[in-house]
Structures are given as C-alpha cells and as structure tokens.
C-alpha cells in the first residue's frame, strides 16, 4: 500500500469504521510511514475533541413563552359535572356544535382517506397491501369516532362552552396534522412510518374525545 | 410511556412545558451546531418544539422520547436549510450571495475555537460532521435524511474534517 491509498482510507481508519482486512493493511503501512501516522493521529485527535463537546447548551433566553403562544395554550380538560351544569338550551347548543364538529371530522377523515387512495392509485402505486392497511386504519377509527359522537348526545348537559372551545381547538390541531401526514404519504406512498403516524394521530383524536369524559356506547 | 408524555398528548400544556424544560438544552445545542448560528438556532428550537407539540400524537413509545424529539429536530433544521437554499437561489442577487457567505464565516484572524470552526464550515460539510462525529448517525441515516448517497455523506465528512484541521492548524 502506498501513501495515497493509505490517506484515502484514513478517515475510516481513524474512526474505526474500516473493515478488518483493510485496517490490518493500514496498520502495516502506518508502522513504517511517519507522515501517514501523524495524519492519522491528527484525525483521531480531532474526533476525540468532537466527542468531548458538550451535548447540551443553555439557550440565551427562555423560549417557552413564544412556544406556548404558538401552540395555542390548550389546557387539560377536566370534567366536573356539578360545577359545569348549565341551562338546557346553552348545553344543547354547545353539545350540538361538538356533535357537528365530530361528524364533520368523520366525513373529513373519509374524504381525506379516499382522496389519498385516489392519489396513490393515480400514481400507479404498486403496493396494494399498504392501501388496504390505510383503509383498515380509517375504518377502525371512523367507527369509534361515530360511537363517541352518539355517546356525546347523552352527556350534553355536562359540557360547558369552555370545554367545547378546547375540544374544537384540539380537533383542529389534530386534523391539521392528519392532513399534513396524508399529504406526505401521497408524496411517499411506500412509507410505513407515515402510515403509523396517521394511525397515531387518529388514536390521539380518540384519546382527546375520551378525555372529555365520554365513552364509546 | 411516561405519565407526563401521555398528559401532554391529551393537550396538557403544563406537561409539555416540563418536557420542553427537560430537553431544550440538548435540542438547542443540536440546532446551534447544525445551523452554525445561535440566533437562527433559537428560532429553529422553537420550531422544533412547536412541531413536536403538533405531532405528539404520533409518538407511541417505540423509542425514547429524547430520540424521537432529536430525530424530529434534525428534520426541522434540514428542512429549514433546504427552504433557505431555495430562497437564496430564487431571490438573492449574486452579490448578496457572496456577502452572506462571507458574513457567515468566522474571522480566521481571531483565535478560532472548535465550535466557531464548526460553525464556519460549509453547510453540507457541517451537517455531515455534526450528525456523524458528534451525534453518532451513520452515513446511511445522514444520506436518507438529505436525499443523498452514503458516498456523498462520506465525502462531505472527509471535507469537513480536513477543513476543521486546517482551521485549527492541526
């Protein structure tokens, strides 16, 4: 091995990623070549310094206020039926709005899934298994969302406008994330990671609806 | 999955603030090194946590939360870099491009420490160096995130190490 060959491999040699046979060849050359040995030591020294760099740095200012503002200040939803009992008319209007939102969400989910399926087929996507899986994900969640909508009807007196505002905000955030993930999946139809992400978002939507204190059926 | 993460997933911003405080120093360091600019890193750190809030529902506990957040941050930073590169190509005049490049490089006349030398690297070289030599990514992982080949990632890393050693007079 000459110096040119040895130096071409020095990066991998110095960071230990070289295959064993090549490493032995480099060892042989370096044992007799001071210049290449010095080069290898220089790279190793740099790598040691890089690894020793601290993994954390304190920011110059607290960024939480800006992040809190951008994330909309959503709060934990706690349901206290005694405290939040309202007049029948107000509770009925509030519950009706939530039912409409949930029902529209279901329709939006159906529409988005079919749009995505159409886009995937249009691109002559040849992985029907993933498409079937996507439809199955949608089908399983659409049923639960529908059941929660019905359950909500029976609990309308328990909900306050404050609760509804939070539910609406959270639904909006999750729907936006689902739309983004489905758009990404349309661009990259082979991504199982994106399919898992969409499934996770539907699950988050269900958890959010359940956190209002209603259950399926 | 911890109770704090589950509460944050249900919309508890207090729980999410705790997650922010637990991880911000690590995420900020990553953003500083990848962007080479502390001011920009502040914005990128905010963007990363906002994205994490929006996508919390996708975290299923298959990996550590810190790993998930770290990966998300890398995507945010690299995405921002691509957008900025497209903007520079479309909008900036050639003169502005040169001025920006010059301004982003540390003054070599001043004693240059390692962090400043990393910040002064060209973007592709800096990304390869930070992700591989500091954060421990493989070339395959780096290449996948940037839409490059592993060979290109290796070449960028070689360039970064060479430039760093020259800047540090090693």
């Amino acid at each position: 091995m000459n110096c040119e060959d040895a130096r071409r491999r020095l990066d991998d040699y110095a960071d230990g990623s070289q295959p064993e046979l090549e490493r032995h060849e480099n060892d042989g050359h370096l044992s007799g070549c001071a210049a290449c040995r010095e080069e290898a030591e220089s790279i190793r020294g740099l790598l040691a310094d890089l690894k020793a760099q601290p993994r954390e740095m304190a920011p110059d200012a607290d960024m939480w206020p800006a992040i809190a503002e951008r994330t909309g200040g959503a709060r934990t939803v706690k349901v206290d039926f005694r405290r939040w009992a309202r007049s029948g008319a107000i509770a009925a209007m509030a519950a009706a709005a939530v039912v409409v939102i949930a029902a529209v969400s279901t329709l939006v989910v159906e529409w988005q899934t079919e749009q995505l399926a159409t886009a995937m087929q249009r691109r002559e996507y040849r992985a029907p298994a993933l498409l079937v899986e996507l439809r199955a994900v949608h089908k399983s969640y659409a049923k639960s969302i529908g059941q929660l909508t019905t359950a909500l009807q029976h609990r309308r007196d328990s909900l306050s406008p404050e609760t509804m505002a939070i539910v609406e905000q959270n639904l909006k955030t999750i729907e936006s994330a689902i739309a983004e993930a489905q758009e990404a999946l349309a661009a990259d139809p082979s991504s199982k990671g994106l399919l898992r992400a969409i499934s996770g978002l539907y699950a988050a939507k269900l958890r959010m609806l359940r956190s209002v204190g209603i259950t399926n059926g | 999955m911890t109770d704090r993460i589950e509460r944050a997933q249900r919309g508890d911003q207090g729980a999410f603030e705790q997650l922010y405080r637990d991880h911000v120093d690590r995420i900020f360091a990553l953003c500083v090194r990848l962007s080479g600019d502390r001011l920009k890193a502040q914005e990128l750190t905010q963007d990363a946590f906002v994205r994490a809030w929006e996508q919390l529902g996708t975290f299923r506990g298959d990996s550590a939360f810190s790993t998930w957040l770290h990966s998300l941050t890398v995507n945010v930073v690299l995405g921002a870099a691509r957008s900025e590169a497209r903007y520079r190509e479309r909008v900036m005049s050639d003169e502005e491009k040169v001025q920006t490049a010059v301004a982003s490089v540390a003054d070599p006349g001043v004693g240059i420490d390692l962090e400043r030398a990393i910040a002064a690297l060209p973007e592709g070289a800096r990304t390869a160096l930070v992700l591989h030599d500091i954060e421990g990514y493989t070339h395959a992982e780096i290449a996948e995130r940037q839409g490059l080949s592993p060979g290109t990632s290796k070449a960028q890393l070689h360039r970064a190490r060479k430039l760093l050693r020259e800047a540090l007079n090693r």
Side-chain angles (χ1 to χ4, degrees):
Chain A
M1 177 185 291
N2 58 32
C3 287
E4 190 182 335
D5 289 337
R7 292 202 178 191
R8 201 168 44 243
R9 299 175 181 185
L10 273 184
D11 269 320
D12 288 348
Y13 176 79
D15 68 22
S17 61
Q18 202 171 30
E20 194 171 338
L21 181 60
E22 286 186 19
R23 186 166 53 79
H24 286 314
E25 290 173 353
N26 263 91
D27 281 339
H29 176 82
L30 263 59
S31 65
C33 178
C36 287
R37 216 164 38 241
E38 194 178 321
E39 181 87 355
E41 280 312 307
S42 170
I43 297 173
R44 281 203 181 107
L46 174 64
L47 293 180
D49 287 347
L50 287 170
K51 279 188 168 44
Q53 291 302 296
R55 287 292 184 274
E56 298 183 346
M57 285 184 200
D60 302 322
D62 182 10
M63 288 174 275
W64 176 251
I67 292 168
E69 190 178 330
R70 288 173 65 183
T71 53
R75 292 177 290 114
T76 302
V77 176
K78 293 178 188 171
V79 178
D80 182 329
F81 298 127
R82 289 170 299 177
R83 186 180 168 191
W84 287 345
R86 300 274 181 169
S87 74
I90 294 172
M93 282 167 58
V98 176
V99 168
V100 166
I101 289 162
V104 167
S105 295
T106 308
L107 291 174
V108 169
V109 163
E110 287 174 352
W111 178 83
Q112 284 173 338
T113 307
E114 285 315 303
Q115 290 295 306
L116 176 58
T118 304
M120 287 161 80
Q121 286 171 330
R122 203 174 289 139
R123 286 167 210 240
E124 297 180 351
Y125 178 55
R126 301 194 193 284
L130 199 58
L131 194 51
V132 167
E133 208 174 324
L134 176 65
R135 287 206 167 104
V137 163
H138 155 67
K139 192 176 167 184
S140 67
Y141 283 106
K143 184 179 173 190
S144 296
I145 287 171
Q147 286 174 341
L148 282 167
T149 303
T150 305
L152 203 52
Q153 286 277 16
H154 299 298
R155 292 285 189 99
R156 60 177 185 261
D157 287 342
S158 314
L159 295 175
S160 71
E162 292 92 351
T163 303
M164 260 190 37
I166 293 166
V167 169
E168 279 177 50
Q169 176 63 42
N170 287 350
L171 273 174
K172 205 183 294 184
T173 301
I174 296 171
E175 285 297 329
S176 168
I178 290 173
E180 203 178 300
Q182 292 198 332
E183 208 176 292
L185 187 58
D188 181 12
S190 61
S191 173
K192 289 190 178 177
L194 282 168
L195 180 64
R196 280 198 296 276
I198 292 169
S199 179
L201 286 166
Y202 285 166
K205 186 172 172 179
L206 270 185
R207 281 197 298 273
M208 193 278 299
L209 284 169
R210 284 178 183 142
S211 75
V212 187
I214 56 174
T215 54
N216 298 39
Chain B
M1 202 182 305
T2 68
D3 174 63
R4 183 176 293 170
I5 295 170
E6 286 179 349
R7 284 191 288 117
Q9 286 178 324
R10 289 197 296 271
D12 184 343
Q13 208 180 41
F16 187 67
E17 182 182 355
Q18 280 309 305
L19 289 173
Y20 158 80
R21 299 214 181 273
D22 288 345
H23 297 281
V24 64
D25 289 0
R26 178 84 178 84
I27 297 304
F28 181 66
L30 178 61
C31 290
V32 167
R33 291 199 177 111
L34 281 176
S35 67
D37 183 324
R38 279 185 84 92
L39 262 181
K40 202 181 293 185
Q42 296 255 131
E43 293 173 18
L44 291 168
T45 302
Q46 287 184 38
D47 290 346
F49 277 99
V50 170
R51 179 82 62 87
W53 171 258
E54 290 167 351
Q55 296 189 359
L56 256 181
T58 68
F59 177 68
R60 295 156 65 98
D62 297 337
S63 63
F65 180 76
S66 59
T67 304
W68 177 84
L69 183 59
H70 188 282
S71 176
L72 179 151
T73 301
V74 170
N75 289 340
V76 165
V77 176
L78 295 183
R82 281 193 291 271
S83 297
E84 198 170 314
R86 282 195 295 271
Y87 167 80
R88 281 201 299 270
E89 277 308 310
R90 279 205 312 270
V91 175
M92 291 173 72
S93 67
D94 285 343
E95 188 179 328
E96 283 171 326
K97 284 176 198 168
V98 168
Q99 284 173 353
T100 303
V102 168
S104 69
V105 173
D107 179 356
V110 177
I112 188 163
D113 67 8
L114 183 53
E115 289 289 358
R116 286 166 58 138
I118 294 170
L121 288 172
E123 189 179 304
R126 185 174 64 244
T127 300
L129 182 102
V130 169
L131 290 182
H132 186 276
D133 286 351
I134 299 180
E135 300 294 339
Y137 283 55
T138 63
H139 286 296
E141 289 167 335
I142 296 168
E144 188 189 357
R145 284 170 188 277
Q146 295 190 278
L148 306 170
S149 69
T152 302
S153 175
K154 281 185 90 168
Q156 290 279 30
L157 179 63
H158 173 76
R159 184 176 173 223
R161 288 174 178 176
K162 184 166 177 289
L163 289 172
L164 266 190
R165 286 188 296 130
E166 285 169 3
L168 297 167
N169 297 315
R170 293 183 182 206

